[in-house]
Every structure is written in C-alpha cells, then in structure tokens.
Amino acid sequence: MKPIRILQVVTIMNRGGLETMLMNYYRQMDRNAIQFDFMVHRSEEGHYDQEIKKLGGQIYRMPQIRPGHYRKYFGLLDQFFQEHPEFKVVHAHNNENSSFVLKAAKKAGIPCRIAHSHLSDLGIDYKLPFRLYARYSMKDNPSSYFACSEKAGQWLFGKKDVTVLNNAVNVKEFKYDDAARNQVRSELGVKENQLLIGHIGRFNKQKNHSFLLEIFSEVHKKNPEAVL
C-alpha cells in the first residue's frame, strides 16, 4: 500500500521552531505508512530541503503571500489541488494565512484540514488589516484546530475546540557532554569557574529578550563574574 501523504504548509523549511518540530516527528515516524510533503512560500532552498528529499518527501514552491497578489495566489492554490488529488490531509502552519490554503483545500474536497497556531500575539503594525482579513477568512475552512499552547489557540481561533500539540524533542541530543561543555566555554573565552548562561533564539519580540536581560542584570549583581 502507498503511504498516506500529508501536505505540510509552511513559509520555508529553515531551522525555526515549528520547522524543527516537524522534522523531529518526520524522522521518527513510519514513512512507509505516512509521508510528509511540503508546500513552501519561498523560492530559495531551505535548510531542511535536502534532508526532506532523502526521507522521500516532495517540496512544492509557491510565491510569497502578499496582499497585492491575493487573487493570483488563490488561483495557484486551486490549480495545485486540482493537479494533486493524492492529498487527503493538509496541515497548515502559516497562522492566520493558513485560512487561504485551507479554503482551497476545502473547495477541493480534502476531508482533513488542520490549522496550526504557533504564536500568541503579533502586535500592531501595518500588516494588521491584512491579518484581520485572513483571520476572518478562516471561518470553518479548517476541520481541526491545533496550537502549541492554549494561549496560541485562543489568540488565533477564539473559542474553537483546540488540540494542543506539544513540540517533540529528542532528549538524547541534549544529554550532558563534558567535552562539548569545555569546548564551548573555551570558544567563548569563559573560565571554568564562571557562571555561563546560554540563550538560543532569534532577535524578535516573541523571544522576550528584554525580560532575559532584566533577569541577567539581577544575576550579575550577585555574581559579577557571570556571563550571558
């Protein structure tokens, strides 16, 4: 029997949080039974693209989702699902923009249409009217609602019945390694007896770096040798 093919809809498969979460699931599952394919919205190659292909996945490229090009994008979505009747499951990770691909999937008769929220707030900027339009367009186009937390689900879906899907992590990759510890401390020029606090995250609002700095400021007062 051929595997069930699930279309994962993302921006680009770089080393972001949701993308890495998908890869952690993808590597561990029985790909003879279930196979992931990816619809991406960038022309350049993503960090995980080559691994996806080695695991048997297909990558389909779409243009960036831009307000001035909605009509063209909607047409491309309709064309895509007409050409790919093999998909019975679409799992969209583009937050409010997921409404567009799921509307096209519903129109094409795809029974399982998952909208997945990965954020709890984007604030106010010039894109807000378009985000509100996209959220309004969500309506009942999804058949299921997923989120990384209850707050993320409430932010995008309101009072819908939301399934919280915890991020999968291979804990073996983070097992303590004394040699790796010494190597990193050496590269950073940190002494053996210094307190070293590490942070991994891109510089944007959701990572809350201001709070991190407030905490470290208090740590530094108690331990002037501490390093962030």
Side-chain angles (χ1 to χ4, degrees):
M1 293 181 63
K2 293 183 179 180
I4 297 171
R5 304 200 76 90
I6 299 176
L7 183 67
Q8 302 287 353
V9 184
V10 300
T11 300
I12 183 173
M13 284 304 292
N14 280 336
R15 291 182 64 88
L18 76 89
E19 296 85 359
T20 300
M21 177 270 291
L22 283 174
M23 294 304 296
N24 284 337
Y25 280 116
Y26 190 25
R27 295 176 185 123
Q28 299 299 322
M29 67 190 191
D30 181 0
R31 291 183 296 279
N32 291 318
I34 299 175
Q35 180 60 249
F36 284 178
D37 294 319
F38 294 80
M39 175 186 283
V40 302
H41 291 80
R42 293 292 186 273
S43 58
E44 65 268 26
E45 183 175 84
H47 176 89
Y48 290 121
D49 285 11
Q50 290 303 316
E51 182 180 0
I52 289 169
K53 293 175 182 177
K54 289 179 181 178
L55 293 174
Q58 300 290 327
I59 298 174
Y60 302 100
R61 300 194 183 278
M62 298 287 281
Q64 294 187 39
I65 305 173
R66 293 178 173 175
H69 300 84
Y70 279 162
R71 186 181 297 275
K72 179 181 179 181
Y73 177 63
F74 298 161
L76 290 172
L77 288 174
D78 289 340
Q79 180 181 344
F80 176 86
F81 288 117
Q82 288 174 6
E83 295 174 353
H84 295 278
E86 68 270 22
F87 292 114
K88 304 303 179 186
V89 182
V90 177
H91 189 170
H93 303 268
N94 300 94
N95 290 305
E96 66 274 3
N97 284 335
S98 296
S99 62
F100 303 140
V101 67
L102 295 179
K103 182 177 181 180
K106 184 177 182 180
K107 182 179 177 181
I110 295 173
C112 184
R113 306 174 305 276
I114 303 168
H116 199 143
S117 176
H118 294 272
L119 294 172
S120 59
D121 187 13
L122 282 173
I124 299 174
D125 59 16
Y126 73 95
K127 293 183 179 179
L128 180 60
F130 305 108
R131 290 204 298 267
L132 292 176
Y133 165 70
R135 188 181 303 185
Y136 172 77
S137 300
M138 189 80 67
K139 295 182 179 179
D140 293 321
N141 291 319
S143 61
S144 300
Y145 301 85
F146 284 13
C148 62
S149 68
E150 290 184 5
K151 187 175 181 181
Q154 292 171 357
W155 172 73
L156 186 57
F157 307 128
K159 297 182 179 180
K160 298 287 187 181
D161 185 15
V162 176
T163 298
V164 174
L165 183 65
N166 294 316
N167 288 354
V169 176
N170 184 356
V171 294
K172 293 180 180 178
E173 294 183 0
F174 300 94
K175 184 179 179 181
Y176 176 77
D177 186 325
D178 195 60
R181 174 185 184 273
N182 293 335
Q183 179 182 342
V184 170
R185 293 177 74 92
S186 175
E187 291 173 356
L188 296 174
V190 179
K191 300 175 183 176
E192 174 62 28
N193 60 349
Q194 279 184 282
L195 172 63
L196 172 60
I197 298 175
H199 166 73
I200 301 173
R202 65 186 184 276
F203 287 109
N204 66 358
K205 180 181 178 181
Q206 288 80 14
K207 306 308 177 186
N208 204 2
H209 291 96
S210 59
F211 184 53
L212 173 64
L213 292 174
E214 288 176 15
I215 292 175
F216 184 72
S217 176
E218 298 302 316
V219 171
H220 198 262
K221 290 176 183 177
K222 295 183 178 182
N223 184 351
E225 293 296 314
V227 176
L228 174 63

